[in-house]
Amino acid sequence: MLRDHINIDVEDRLQQLQRVSLHNRGQEDITEWEIIGKTGERKGSVTLFDKLSNRRSYRVSYRVIQKDAEGKVVIDLLLDKL
């Protein structure tokens, strides 16, 4: 599950903003969520790159990027499975 790989509080929720499907370089879906705190404030964002295929020395299925409210990258992970 995505929540296992990002830093959010138990009472925080993820609200999906958009989903984009691309058909180049094997990269198929990009999904973006907003992290909403228990009082309704925006705490950051999460982007999931699904079925990512690199031409470099490694192959992975997912890339997860979490940013804080100011837009600074907090987590940038390459994963084989969620």
Side-chain angles (χ1 to χ4, degrees):
M1 178 172 227
L2 182 62
R3 292 179 76 94
D4 296 336
H5 302 286
I6 57 177
N7 291 333
I8 61 173
D9 296 328
V10 174
E11 56 272 345
D12 293 346
R13 61 186 173 91
L14 295 172
Q15 179 177 337
Q16 186 172 336
L17 294 175
Q18 68 176 345
R19 184 179 188 131
V20 178
S21 294
L22 301 175
H23 300 287
N24 58 352
R25 294 185 347 204
Q27 184 174 334
E28 294 182 356
D29 294 318
I30 301 170
T31 309
E32 295 182 61
W33 290 275
E34 190 173 46
I35 302 170
I36 307 294
K38 65 179 179 179
T39 59
E41 80 277 8
R42 183 181 183 278
K43 295 176 76 175
S45 65
V46 176
T47 305
L48 173 67
F49 298 85
D50 188 7
K51 298 181 182 172
L52 181 69
S53 177
N54 274 333
R55 290 180 275 172
R56 302 284 180 203
S57 60
Y58 50 86
R59 301 255 186 235
V60 294
S61 295
Y62 303 97
R63 182 177 186 187
V64 178
I65 300 173
Q66 179 180 354
K67 296 180 181 177
D68 63 10
E70 289 80 35
K72 295 178 185 174
V73 174
V74 177
I75 294 176
D76 190 352
L77 293 172
L78 297 173
L79 303 167
D80 287 329
K81 61 181 178 175
L82 287 178

